[in-house]
Amino acid sequence: MFGDERSDSIELWDDSFFIRLDMRRFNAALARSIVGLAAADGLMLGMVETGHLLPASYPMLLRQIVQSRALKFARDPIGTLSV
């Protein structure tokens, strides 16, 4: 396990991995690196919030992030929870 469960983190397991990007302090360099590694290995990105599978594309990842509840919550926690 790399990182912090309250920030960006990467969990590597025998048969899978999980990557969490902290929307409070978005690390674009880390996100680009992750997408680059996924693209190089022909992997897709799985979005936990929606269950969508995306091609490893940074612009597509950004579109998902902009529409995400996680980003809305990071910007306005009370407003997001009251909806």
Side-chain angles (χ1 to χ4, degrees):
M1 185 179 225
F2 303 92
D4 183 321
E5 65 185 24
R6 288 179 254 147
S7 184
D8 298 323
S9 64
I10 300 173
E11 297 178 24
L12 301 173
W13 302 96
D14 290 337
D15 59 352
S16 65
F17 55 92
F18 179 80
I19 299 169
R20 178 183 180 279
L21 298 173
D22 187 348
M23 292 297 103
R24 295 169 297 176
R25 290 177 299 281
F26 183 67
N27 184 335
L30 177 60
R32 282 184 188 278
S33 295
I34 291 165
V35 170
L37 287 171
D41 285 337
L43 301 175
M44 302 212 32
L45 305 175
M47 303 291 102
V48 171
E49 183 177 302
T50 62
H52 293 145
L53 286 176
L54 307 175
S57 158
Y58 188 70
M60 291 186 83
L61 175 62
L62 287 181
R63 278 194 290 278
Q64 287 291 310
I65 289 170
V66 167
Q67 297 171 4
S68 74
R69 188 169 169 87
L71 183 60
K72 289 179 179 93
F73 182 80
R75 291 180 173 165
D76 180 14
I78 294 171
T80 304
L81 293 175
S82 64
V83 172

